[in-house]
Amino acid sequence: MSKLDVDKIEEDVSKQKPFVGGRIDRVGIEDLEIPVKIQNGAEVLKLQSNVTAMVSLDDENMRGIHMSRIYLALHDCLSNQVLSLSSVKELLHKLVESQKGISRYAHLKFFWKWPIKRKALKSDSLEGWRYYPVFYEGRLLEKGKVELIMGMTVTYSSTCPCSASLARSLIQEKFHGDFIASSVDNKKVFHWLGQERSISATPHAQKSLAEVKLKVTKEQQNLIELINEVEKALGTPVQTAVKKEDEQEFAKLNSENLMFSEDAARRIRNLLNKKNWIEDFYIHVKHFESLHPFEVACHITKQVPGGFHT
């Protein structure tokens, strides 16, 4: 069909009376891949993002929304602006405006992976890239109220305190059995500790995830800075390239930060409770068990009226 023929089509199918009427909470685009500009210190990064953009359909006599207008609103805004919670707020209003009176509410979420270069724990010459899943989310609610949420996922190591205690007990028993008939000699003990057969048990550890969601009024802190603070609070961030001294330091950090899932979630809560710009938060930690065939998880919220629900 030629362009001329298309222009002659006067019928707007979206305005047809629906077969079954009724209001729709959310309708729009999910899993849209689109580049976004992200402020990264003094530079601006252009990264691939995954976007959900939806509006309500409040006119019960309209068959559908104008889907292409959602895409065009996203494209126009993101082509000219650096993505921030402020631009999310602006976009929410534009999404509703694009529908010419048939929508009152909107939902918008941007998900991307933020690249951060990390140095090894001990080796000055070693470094590598970590990619942190992060998101910005916004909701346009009743009477023009806007709810802004941002969040990230941090990967860390967790060593079980109970398992560590049981391992220490077995090592004590092994030591007692090997030295019961002899006087203790420092050199012999030092040599004994360095043998594989002497360390008769090790605690189990696993890769773990901390997902953090924050309800805020505006963007008070860079997500990278918050990621750094969460990693510091946990004490055992996963590494990129390592040498022996880095792996040894990692083992030391795990020994100094034995954690149940409850410990990890509480550490993050204590960090977030000190930030008065956070209205509410939701913390979800998951330990990918090496002992069990299931995962262990913990959820914590700030527990404010009308806040996050797990």
Short mmCIF file of all heavy atoms in Angstrom, two decimals, residues 132-182:
data_model
loop_
_atom_site.label_atom_id
_atom_site.label_comp_id
_atom_site.label_asym_id
_atom_site.label_seq_id
_atom_site.Cartn_x
_atom_site.Cartn_y
_atom_site.Cartn_z
N TYR A 132 26.90 -3.68 37.26
CA TYR A 132 25.90 -3.69 38.33
C TYR A 132 24.50 -3.42 37.77
O TYR A 132 24.27 -2.37 37.16
CB TYR A 132 26.24 -2.63 39.38
CG TYR A 132 27.50 -2.91 40.15
CD1 TYR A 132 28.74 -2.54 39.65
CD2 TYR A 132 27.45 -3.55 41.39
CE1 TYR A 132 29.91 -2.79 40.37
CE2 TYR A 132 28.62 -3.80 42.11
CZ TYR A 132 29.83 -3.41 41.58
OH TYR A 132 30.99 -3.67 42.28
N PRO A 133 23.56 -4.35 37.97
CA PRO A 133 22.17 -4.08 37.57
C PRO A 133 21.57 -2.96 38.41
O PRO A 133 21.59 -3.01 39.64
CB PRO A 133 21.47 -5.42 37.86
CG PRO A 133 22.56 -6.43 37.95
CD PRO A 133 23.74 -5.71 38.52
N VAL A 134 21.07 -1.93 37.75
CA VAL A 134 20.46 -0.79 38.44
C VAL A 134 19.16 -0.40 37.72
O VAL A 134 18.93 -0.80 36.58
CB VAL A 134 21.41 0.44 38.49
CG1 VAL A 134 22.67 0.11 39.27
CG2 VAL A 134 21.79 0.88 37.08
N PHE A 135 18.33 0.38 38.40
CA PHE A 135 17.11 0.84 37.74
C PHE A 135 16.62 2.16 38.32
O PHE A 135 16.91 2.51 39.47
CB PHE A 135 16.00 -0.22 37.84
CG PHE A 135 15.40 -0.36 39.22
CD1 PHE A 135 14.34 0.44 39.63
CD2 PHE A 135 15.90 -1.30 40.12
CE1 PHE A 135 13.79 0.31 40.90
CE2 PHE A 135 15.36 -1.44 41.39
CZ PHE A 135 14.31 -0.63 41.77
N TYR A 136 15.88 2.87 37.50
CA TYR A 136 15.07 4.03 37.91
C TYR A 136 13.62 3.67 37.62
O TYR A 136 13.31 3.12 36.55
CB TYR A 136 15.42 5.29 37.13
CG TYR A 136 16.71 5.96 37.52
CD1 TYR A 136 17.45 6.67 36.56
CD2 TYR A 136 17.18 5.93 38.82
CE1 TYR A 136 18.63 7.31 36.90
CE2 TYR A 136 18.36 6.56 39.17
CZ TYR A 136 19.08 7.25 38.21
OH TYR A 136 20.25 7.88 38.55
N GLU A 137 12.74 4.01 38.52
CA GLU A 137 11.32 3.71 38.33
C GLU A 137 10.48 4.89 38.80
O GLU A 137 10.82 5.56 39.78
CB GLU A 137 10.94 2.46 39.12
CG GLU A 137 9.51 1.99 38.90
CD GLU A 137 9.22 0.67 39.60
OE1 GLU A 137 10.13 0.14 40.28
OE2 GLU A 137 8.10 0.17 39.47
N GLY A 138 9.38 5.15 38.08
CA GLY A 138 8.48 6.24 38.47
C GLY A 138 7.03 5.85 38.24
O GLY A 138 6.72 5.08 37.33
N ARG A 139 6.16 6.40 39.10
CA ARG A 139 4.72 6.16 38.96
C ARG A 139 3.98 7.48 39.13
O ARG A 139 4.19 8.18 40.14
CB ARG A 139 4.23 5.15 40.01
CG ARG A 139 4.90 3.79 39.92
CD ARG A 139 4.61 2.97 41.14
NE ARG A 139 5.45 1.76 41.18
CZ ARG A 139 5.69 1.06 42.27
NH1 ARG A 139 5.16 1.43 43.42
NH2 ARG A 139 6.45 -0.01 42.23
N LEU A 140 3.14 7.79 38.17
CA LEU A 140 2.26 8.95 38.28
C LEU A 140 0.93 8.47 38.83
O LEU A 140 0.24 7.66 38.21
CB LEU A 140 2.08 9.61 36.91
CG LEU A 140 1.22 10.88 36.87
CD1 LEU A 140 1.77 11.96 37.79
CD2 LEU A 140 1.10 11.39 35.44
N LEU A 141 0.56 8.98 40.03
CA LEU A 141 -0.58 8.46 40.77
C LEU A 141 -1.71 9.48 40.83
O LEU A 141 -1.77 10.41 40.03
CB LEU A 141 -0.12 8.07 42.18
CG LEU A 141 1.09 7.11 42.24
CD1 LEU A 141 1.57 6.95 43.68
CD2 LEU A 141 0.73 5.77 41.63
N GLU A 142 -2.60 9.31 41.81
CA GLU A 142 -3.74 10.21 41.99
C GLU A 142 -3.30 11.65 42.21
O GLU A 142 -2.29 11.91 42.89
CB GLU A 142 -4.57 9.76 43.21
CG GLU A 142 -5.34 8.46 42.99
CD GLU A 142 -6.65 8.70 42.26
OE1 GLU A 142 -6.94 9.86 41.94
OE2 GLU A 142 -7.36 7.71 42.01
N LYS A 143 -4.06 12.59 41.64
CA LYS A 143 -3.86 14.03 41.84
C LYS A 143 -2.44 14.49 41.47
O LYS A 143 -1.89 15.40 42.07
CB LYS A 143 -4.17 14.42 43.29
CG LYS A 143 -5.61 14.13 43.70
CD LYS A 143 -5.86 14.50 45.15
CE LYS A 143 -7.30 14.18 45.55
NZ LYS A 143 -7.58 14.51 46.97
N GLY A 144 -1.85 13.81 40.48
CA GLY A 144 -0.55 14.22 39.99
C GLY A 144 0.62 13.86 40.88
O GLY A 144 1.75 14.29 40.63
N LYS A 145 0.38 13.06 41.93
CA LYS A 145 1.48 12.67 42.81
C LYS A 145 2.42 11.72 42.07
O LYS A 145 1.99 10.80 41.39
CB LYS A 145 0.94 11.97 44.06
CG LYS A 145 2.04 11.53 45.01
CD LYS A 145 1.48 10.75 46.20
CE LYS A 145 2.60 10.24 47.10
NZ LYS A 145 2.10 9.44 48.24
N VAL A 146 3.72 11.96 42.23
CA VAL A 146 4.73 11.13 41.58
C VAL A 146 5.52 10.35 42.63
O VAL A 146 5.98 10.92 43.62
CB VAL A 146 5.70 11.98 40.73
CG1 VAL A 146 6.83 11.11 40.18
CG2 VAL A 146 4.95 12.65 39.58
N GLU A 147 5.66 9.05 42.43
CA GLU A 147 6.45 8.19 43.30
C GLU A 147 7.71 7.79 42.54
O GLU A 147 7.63 7.26 41.43
CB GLU A 147 5.62 6.95 43.67
CG GLU A 147 6.28 6.03 44.66
CD GLU A 147 5.38 4.87 45.04
OE1 GLU A 147 5.35 3.87 44.29
OE2 GLU A 147 4.68 4.97 46.06
N LEU A 148 8.87 8.07 43.14
CA LEU A 148 10.15 7.79 42.50
C LEU A 148 10.91 6.71 43.26
O LEU A 148 11.02 6.77 44.49
CB LEU A 148 11.00 9.06 42.43
CG LEU A 148 10.45 10.20 41.57
CD1 LEU A 148 11.32 11.44 41.72
CD2 LEU A 148 10.35 9.79 40.11
N ILE A 149 11.41 5.74 42.54
CA ILE A 149 12.13 4.62 43.13
C ILE A 149 13.41 4.39 42.33
O ILE A 149 13.41 4.49 41.10
CB ILE A 149 11.28 3.34 43.12
CG1 ILE A 149 10.00 3.53 43.94
CG2 ILE A 149 12.06 2.14 43.66
CD1 ILE A 149 8.98 2.44 43.78
N MET A 150 14.49 4.10 43.03
CA MET A 150 15.71 3.69 42.34
C MET A 150 16.30 2.51 43.10
O MET A 150 15.98 2.29 44.28
CB MET A 150 16.72 4.83 42.25
CG MET A 150 17.27 5.33 43.58
SD MET A 150 18.47 6.68 43.27
CE MET A 150 19.15 6.91 44.92
N GLY A 151 17.13 1.72 42.42
CA GLY A 151 17.66 0.56 43.10
C GLY A 151 18.82 -0.07 42.37
O GLY A 151 19.17 0.31 41.25
N MET A 152 19.41 -1.07 43.04
CA MET A 152 20.56 -1.76 42.48
C MET A 152 20.65 -3.17 43.04
O MET A 152 20.01 -3.50 44.05
CB MET A 152 21.85 -0.99 42.81
CG MET A 152 22.41 -1.17 44.20
SD MET A 152 21.47 -0.37 45.51
CE MET A 152 21.80 1.33 45.10
N THR A 153 21.47 -4.00 42.40
CA THR A 153 21.77 -5.34 42.90
C THR A 153 23.27 -5.47 43.07
O THR A 153 24.03 -5.16 42.14
CB THR A 153 21.26 -6.42 41.93
OG1 THR A 153 19.84 -6.29 41.78
CG2 THR A 153 21.58 -7.81 42.47
N VAL A 154 23.69 -5.92 44.25
CA VAL A 154 25.11 -6.08 44.58
C VAL A 154 25.39 -7.55 44.83
O VAL A 154 24.64 -8.22 45.54
CB VAL A 154 25.48 -5.24 45.82
CG1 VAL A 154 26.89 -5.56 46.29
CG2 VAL A 154 25.36 -3.75 45.51
N THR A 155 26.46 -8.06 44.23
CA THR A 155 26.87 -9.45 44.43
C THR A 155 28.01 -9.51 45.44
O THR A 155 28.97 -8.74 45.34
CB THR A 155 27.34 -10.07 43.10
OG1 THR A 155 26.33 -9.89 42.12
CG2 THR A 155 27.60 -11.56 43.26
N TYR A 156 27.88 -10.40 46.41
CA TYR A 156 28.89 -10.52 47.45
C TYR A 156 29.05 -11.98 47.85
O TYR A 156 28.33 -12.86 47.37
CB TYR A 156 28.51 -9.67 48.68
CG TYR A 156 27.22 -10.08 49.34
CD1 TYR A 156 27.22 -10.82 50.52
CD2 TYR A 156 25.98 -9.71 48.81
CE1 TYR A 156 26.03 -11.20 51.14
CE2 TYR A 156 24.79 -10.08 49.42
CZ TYR A 156 24.82 -10.83 50.57
OH TYR A 156 23.65 -11.20 51.18
N SER A 157 30.00 -12.25 48.73
CA SER A 157 30.24 -13.60 49.23
C SER A 157 29.75 -13.70 50.67
O SER A 157 29.95 -12.77 51.46
CB SER A 157 31.73 -13.93 49.16
OG SER A 157 32.00 -15.18 49.76
N SER A 158 29.12 -14.81 51.00
CA SER A 158 28.67 -15.01 52.38
C SER A 158 29.18 -16.36 52.90
O SER A 158 28.98 -17.39 52.26
CB SER A 158 27.15 -14.94 52.48
OG SER A 158 26.54 -15.94 51.69
N THR A 159 29.84 -16.32 54.03
CA THR A 159 30.33 -17.53 54.69
C THR A 159 29.49 -17.79 55.93
O THR A 159 29.30 -16.89 56.76
CB THR A 159 31.81 -17.39 55.08
OG1 THR A 159 32.57 -17.12 53.89
CG2 THR A 159 32.33 -18.66 55.73
N CYS A 160 28.99 -19.00 56.08
CA CYS A 160 28.05 -19.34 57.14
C CYS A 160 28.72 -19.34 58.51
O CYS A 160 29.70 -20.07 58.73
CB CYS A 160 27.46 -20.71 56.86
SG CYS A 160 26.36 -21.31 58.17
N PRO A 161 28.25 -18.54 59.47
CA PRO A 161 28.84 -18.53 60.82
C PRO A 161 28.73 -19.87 61.53
O PRO A 161 29.66 -20.28 62.24
CB PRO A 161 28.03 -17.46 61.56
CG PRO A 161 27.43 -16.61 60.48
CD PRO A 161 27.19 -17.54 59.34
N CYS A 162 27.61 -20.56 61.35
CA CYS A 162 27.43 -21.86 61.99
C CYS A 162 28.42 -22.87 61.44
O CYS A 162 29.07 -23.62 62.17
CB CYS A 162 26.00 -22.34 61.79
SG CYS A 162 25.63 -23.92 62.58
N SER A 163 28.56 -22.88 60.12
CA SER A 163 29.50 -23.79 59.48
C SER A 163 30.93 -23.49 59.91
O SER A 163 31.73 -24.40 60.13
CB SER A 163 29.38 -23.66 57.96
OG SER A 163 30.27 -24.52 57.30
N ALA A 164 31.27 -22.21 60.06
CA ALA A 164 32.61 -21.83 60.50
C ALA A 164 32.88 -22.32 61.92
O ALA A 164 33.97 -22.80 62.24
CB ALA A 164 32.77 -20.31 60.43
N SER A 165 31.88 -22.22 62.79
CA SER A 165 32.01 -22.69 64.17
C SER A 165 32.22 -24.20 64.21
O SER A 165 33.07 -24.71 64.95
CB SER A 165 30.76 -22.30 64.97
OG SER A 165 30.81 -22.85 66.26
N LEU A 166 31.45 -24.94 63.41
CA LEU A 166 31.58 -26.39 63.37
C LEU A 166 32.94 -26.81 62.81
O LEU A 166 33.55 -27.78 63.27
CB LEU A 166 30.46 -26.99 62.52
CG LEU A 166 29.04 -26.82 63.08
CD1 LEU A 166 28.01 -27.25 62.06
CD2 LEU A 166 28.88 -27.60 64.38
N ALA A 167 33.43 -26.05 61.82
CA ALA A 167 34.75 -26.35 61.25
C ALA A 167 35.85 -26.13 62.29
O ALA A 167 36.77 -26.94 62.42
CB ALA A 167 34.99 -25.49 60.02
N ARG A 168 35.74 -25.04 63.05
CA ARG A 168 36.74 -24.77 64.09
C ARG A 168 36.76 -25.90 65.13
O ARG A 168 37.82 -26.30 65.61
CB ARG A 168 36.45 -23.43 64.77
CG ARG A 168 36.73 -22.21 63.90
CD ARG A 168 36.75 -20.93 64.73
NE ARG A 168 35.47 -20.68 65.38
CZ ARG A 168 34.47 -19.97 64.84
NH1 ARG A 168 34.63 -19.46 63.62
NH2 ARG A 168 33.36 -19.77 65.50
N SER A 169 35.59 -26.42 65.47
CA SER A 169 35.50 -27.50 66.45
C SER A 169 36.20 -28.75 65.96
O SER A 169 36.93 -29.42 66.71
CB SER A 169 34.02 -27.79 66.74
OG SER A 169 33.89 -28.87 67.64
N LEU A 170 36.02 -29.07 64.67
CA LEU A 170 36.68 -30.26 64.12
C LEU A 170 38.20 -30.08 64.06
O LEU A 170 38.96 -31.03 64.30
CB LEU A 170 36.14 -30.54 62.71
CG LEU A 170 34.74 -31.16 62.65
CD1 LEU A 170 34.26 -31.23 61.21
CD2 LEU A 170 34.74 -32.56 63.28
N ILE A 171 38.64 -28.87 63.76
CA ILE A 171 40.08 -28.61 63.73
C ILE A 171 40.67 -28.73 65.13
O ILE A 171 41.78 -29.25 65.31
CB ILE A 171 40.36 -27.21 63.12
CG1 ILE A 171 39.94 -27.20 61.64
CG2 ILE A 171 41.83 -26.83 63.25
CD1 ILE A 171 39.93 -25.82 61.02
N GLN A 172 39.92 -28.25 66.12
CA GLN A 172 40.37 -28.41 67.52
C GLN A 172 40.53 -29.89 67.87
O GLN A 172 41.52 -30.29 68.50
CB GLN A 172 39.37 -27.76 68.47
CG GLN A 172 39.45 -26.24 68.53
CD GLN A 172 38.41 -25.66 69.47
OE1 GLN A 172 37.25 -26.08 69.48
NE2 GLN A 172 38.83 -24.71 70.28
N GLU A 173 39.54 -30.69 67.49
CA GLU A 173 39.61 -32.13 67.77
C GLU A 173 40.80 -32.77 67.06
O GLU A 173 41.51 -33.62 67.63
CB GLU A 173 38.31 -32.81 67.34
CG GLU A 173 37.12 -32.47 68.21
CD GLU A 173 35.86 -33.19 67.76
OE1 GLU A 173 35.98 -34.18 66.99
OE2 GLU A 173 34.76 -32.78 68.17
N LYS A 174 41.04 -32.38 65.84
CA LYS A 174 42.17 -32.92 65.08
C LYS A 174 43.49 -32.53 65.74
O LYS A 174 44.40 -33.35 65.89
CB LYS A 174 42.10 -32.38 63.65
CG LYS A 174 43.27 -32.76 62.75
CD LYS A 174 43.29 -34.23 62.44
CE LYS A 174 44.36 -34.55 61.41
NZ LYS A 174 44.55 -36.00 61.21
N PHE A 175 43.57 -31.28 66.18
CA PHE A 175 44.79 -30.79 66.86
C PHE A 175 45.03 -31.58 68.15
O PHE A 175 46.15 -32.02 68.44
CB PHE A 175 44.63 -29.30 67.17
CG PHE A 175 45.81 -28.70 67.90
CD1 PHE A 175 46.91 -28.24 67.21
CD2 PHE A 175 45.82 -28.61 69.28
CE1 PHE A 175 48.00 -27.70 67.87
CE2 PHE A 175 46.89 -28.07 69.96
CZ PHE A 175 47.99 -27.62 69.25
N HIS A 176 43.96 -31.77 68.92
CA HIS A 176 44.07 -32.49 70.19
C HIS A 176 44.53 -33.93 69.95
O HIS A 176 45.39 -34.46 70.68
CB HIS A 176 42.72 -32.49 70.91
CG HIS A 176 42.75 -33.16 72.25
ND1 HIS A 176 43.41 -32.62 73.33
CD2 HIS A 176 42.21 -34.34 72.67
CE1 HIS A 176 43.28 -33.43 74.37
NE2 HIS A 176 42.54 -34.48 74.00
N GLY A 177 43.98 -34.56 68.90
CA GLY A 177 44.37 -35.93 68.60
C GLY A 177 45.82 -36.06 68.16
O GLY A 177 46.51 -37.03 68.50
N ASP A 178 46.31 -35.09 67.40
CA ASP A 178 47.68 -35.16 66.88
C ASP A 178 48.72 -34.78 67.92
O ASP A 178 49.88 -35.20 67.82
CB ASP A 178 47.82 -34.25 65.66
CG ASP A 178 47.13 -34.81 64.43
OD1 ASP A 178 46.62 -35.95 64.51
OD2 ASP A 178 47.07 -34.12 63.39
N PHE A 179 48.35 -33.99 68.92
CA PHE A 179 49.34 -33.49 69.88
C PHE A 179 49.11 -34.00 71.31
O PHE A 179 49.79 -33.56 72.22
CB PHE A 179 49.34 -31.96 69.89
CG PHE A 179 49.99 -31.35 68.67
CD1 PHE A 179 49.25 -31.09 67.53
CD2 PHE A 179 51.35 -31.07 68.65
CE1 PHE A 179 49.83 -30.55 66.41
CE2 PHE A 179 51.94 -30.53 67.53
CZ PHE A 179 51.19 -30.26 66.39
N ILE A 180 48.17 -34.92 71.50
CA ILE A 180 47.83 -35.35 72.85
C ILE A 180 49.01 -36.01 73.58
O ILE A 180 49.16 -35.88 74.79
CB ILE A 180 46.62 -36.32 72.82
CG1 ILE A 180 46.12 -36.59 74.23
CG2 ILE A 180 46.98 -37.62 72.10
CD1 ILE A 180 44.80 -37.34 74.27
N ALA A 181 49.87 -36.68 72.85
CA ALA A 181 50.95 -37.43 73.50
C ALA A 181 52.28 -36.69 73.48
O ALA A 181 53.32 -37.24 73.86
CB ALA A 181 51.12 -38.80 72.83
N SER A 182 52.29 -35.46 73.03
CA SER A 182 53.56 -34.73 72.94
C SER A 182 53.40 -33.33 73.51
O SER A 182 52.31 -32.77 73.58
CB SER A 182 54.01 -34.65 71.48
OG SER A 182 53.07 -33.92 70.72
#
